[in-house]
Amino acid sequence: MPEYTGGGAMLASREASVDFSLTAEQRELQERARRFAETVVKPVATYYDQEERHPHELIVRARAEGLTEITIPREYGGRGLGVLELVLVAEQLAWACAGFTAAACSSCLAGEPIVIAGSEEQKRRWLPRLAAGEYASFALTEPDAGSDVAALATRAERCGDVYVLNGHKRWIGNAPIASFFVVFAKTDPQAGHNGISVFVVERESTGIVTRPLRKLGQRAISNGEIEFHDVVVPANQRIGREGEGFAIAMQTLRRTRPMVAAFGAGIIRRCLDESLAYAQQRRTMGQPIIRHQAIGHKLADMQIRLEAARQLTYLAAWLADQGEDNTMAAAVAKAFAADSAMWAATEAVQVFGGNGYSPDYPVEKLFRDAKLLQIYEGTSEIQRNIIVRELVRRSRGKDRRPGEEPLE
């Protein structure tokens, strides 16, 4: 695998120069993740995919290497690093297996609402559990509410010092194995997205039923359904105030979408590596197929998209770490990287020809894994909706009002 040690769109200031370098610490973290991906994850990725098995053993090893819980603050047992460090690790790991990477990084997604809006007591109650290796779920999506978050049907009704939770979540990462769930539910059904609140719900609560779901790709992360039947949740397990759930979800996704974009960059790079190696040894018409311009240009375009996806991703992550509004940048990076990963995987199958359609070769798995990037954490279509809304807002010279969020 070719080494990449460049940086990504580090804007020193809006008026000053642009610095593309990574710090020595960031380069070391990137290299450590690269070695782990090559020597630990890649050799067994096919096994976890075919068996649809949660890679707990690998995640334990990744944690020992300091490659998990990247953005959980140090005072709660995490690494205390930024979104940029998260994407540096995610790209390297996704090169080996996007499903494993999603499983290994899932704690950052589930923990982010608690980091963003949790009280000190709530942070100390749940974040150290994630840092110690427990799994949690970010439970937002429902059978009839994916892109349309305001259509959530899960209901949390206040009854004195508790809420009673009823509803059905679907396609939730870690649902079959999570110790607790970060659940988004309607506390005011008439208020649209302003009526959503967020709760931490312990798995052992009475009335919870989970079921695993099978899927096309990224099979190493366990996804499933969660049903809540009159589940009693203490009021002190609500994160933030009533009605803040939508804003918390969007703040979370703006910080985690660069991570998904990094998955895309990793898949593009793996597609390029596998296609380059195959095209140099596979011969037709008396020469390696890389000498056929039709094949060579596919590889050139993979490199072009890789560089673009990486820079867009690093910029979105850097803006998040600077506390800047990265709504536009995160949507651009996520849409471009996801679409480019699917394109690269499709072209990689084409380079391999009939062999690319066989599970005996790695590009078949890359094809299946790439597709999911265009769907979860906001579809590519939703990202374009966000971009258009941001373009309109900026063209009118309007700043977003406090608490206002782009509808996703």
Side-chain angles (χ1 to χ4, degrees):
M1 180 182 67
E3 182 179 359
Y4 181 81
T5 57
M10 302 300 192
L11 306 183
S13 76
R14 295 190 183 278
E15 296 81 19
S17 60
V18 178
D19 181 4
F20 287 89
S21 63
L22 295 177
T23 67
E25 292 77 12
Q26 288 169 335
R27 289 196 299 271
E28 190 280 329
L29 179 65
Q30 183 185 54
E31 175 62 20
R32 196 175 347 133
R34 184 189 67 82
R35 290 195 305 268
F36 189 85
E38 283 188 325
T39 61
V40 178
V41 181
K42 181 173 179 270
V44 296
T46 298
Y47 164 76
Y48 285 96
D49 175 72
Q50 292 180 347
E51 296 295 319
E52 301 187 46
R53 178 178 170 184
H54 176 70
H56 176 72
E57 305 88 348
L58 299 188
I59 294 173
V60 169
R61 296 179 65 178
R63 182 171 294 108
E65 292 285 336
L67 301 177
T68 62
E69 291 80 51
I70 297 292
T71 58
I72 292 178
R74 287 185 183 274
E75 57 266 36
Y76 309 112
R79 312 301 170 193
L81 300 175
V83 180
L84 180 56
E85 285 80 10
L86 176 61
V87 303
L88 291 175
V89 170
E91 180 190 337
Q92 301 299 320
L93 297 182
W95 175 91
C97 179
F100 163 78
T101 310
C105 295
S106 59
S107 292
C108 291
L109 175 60
E112 199 67 37
I114 303 172
V115 173
I116 290 171
S119 66
E120 182 62 24
E121 188 278 331
Q122 289 169 334
K123 292 175 182 178
R124 294 196 178 279
R125 181 176 178 183
W126 287 298
L127 295 180
R129 290 170 57 180
L130 294 177
E134 290 189 40
Y135 299 104
S137 292
F138 181 84
L140 179 64
T141 302
E142 298 182 3
D144 296 317
S147 297
D148 184 8
V149 177
L152 289 182
T154 298
R155 181 76 194 277
E157 294 187 74
R158 184 75 182 251
C159 299
D161 292 333
V162 302
Y163 288 84
V164 178
L165 191 64
N166 284 280
H168 182 190
K169 299 293 183 177
R170 187 171 173 84
W171 295 117
I172 305 303
N174 282 343
I177 59 171
S179 297
F180 60 87
F181 311 99
V182 179
V183 182
F184 294 81
K186 284 283 185 69
T187 45
D188 183 353
Q190 308 306 317
H193 64 272
N194 290 320
I196 298 171
S197 302
V198 57
F199 305 85
V200 177
V201 182
E202 297 286 355
R203 185 183 194 87
E204 67 265 19
S205 303
T206 302
I208 295 177
V209 178
T210 63
R211 286 183 295 273
L213 293 169
R214 302 191 66 190
K215 55 189 187 293
L216 176 69
Q218 297 197 25
R219 294 173 176 168
I221 180 171
S222 300
N223 288 77
E225 296 180 297
I226 313 171
E227 292 183 4
F228 302 97
H229 300 281
D230 292 330
V231 177
V232 176
V233 182
N236 63 8
Q237 292 181 201
R238 188 191 67 230
I239 304 298
R241 295 190 294 270
E242 279 197 7
E244 290 186 336
F246 182 84
I248 292 169
M250 295 307 107
Q251 291 177 59
T252 296
L253 293 174
R254 285 199 296 271
R255 288 180 56 81
T256 58
R257 279 174 178 155
M259 175 185 72
V260 178
F263 293 179
I267 288 177
I268 297 167
R269 185 158 56 91
R270 181 66 179 279
C271 288
L272 176 57
D273 290 347
E274 296 292 347
S275 298
L276 180 60
Y278 187 81
Q280 291 182 89
Q281 62 89 19
R282 169 69 169 159
R283 299 177 66 87
T284 65
M285 304 173 193
Q287 59 183 343
I289 63 173
I290 197 170
R291 294 186 181 176
H292 300 309
Q293 189 176 79
I295 299 299
H297 281 188
K298 293 182 189 300
L299 305 185
D301 285 339
M302 286 183 196
Q303 180 65 27
I304 291 169
R305 295 199 186 210
L306 170 60
E307 291 295 336
R310 180 181 283 138
Q311 300 304 323
L312 291 170
T313 299
Y314 287 9
L315 173 58
W318 182 85
L319 287 171
D321 288 337
Q322 301 307 306
E324 298 277 352
D325 181 0
N326 75 335
T327 301
M328 172 79 88
V332 168
K334 203 272 185 182
F336 184 84
D339 291 349
S340 294
M342 191 68 243
W343 172 88
T346 302
E347 293 297 272
V349 171
Q350 197 71 14
V351 170
F352 276 68
N355 289 334
Y357 209 64
S358 167
D360 294 334
Y361 290 82
V363 293
E364 178 264 353
K365 177 180 181 295
L366 291 169
F367 182 91
R368 291 186 287 104
D369 286 351
K371 185 59 195 173
L372 189 52
L373 301 183
Q374 295 179 302
I375 299 172
Y376 63 15
E377 294 215 30
T379 65
S380 291
E381 292 78 10
I382 287 295
Q383 303 311 312
R384 285 167 171 81
N385 288 350
I386 295 168
I387 292 166
V388 170
R389 289 174 183 140
E390 288 296 295
L391 288 172
V392 171
R393 182 180 65 82
R394 294 181 183 189
S395 73
R396 295 174 177 172
K398 291 184 177 181
D399 292 327
R400 191 174 295 109
R401 295 187 300 274
E404 180 184 14
E405 299 293 333
L407 296 182
E408 303 180 37

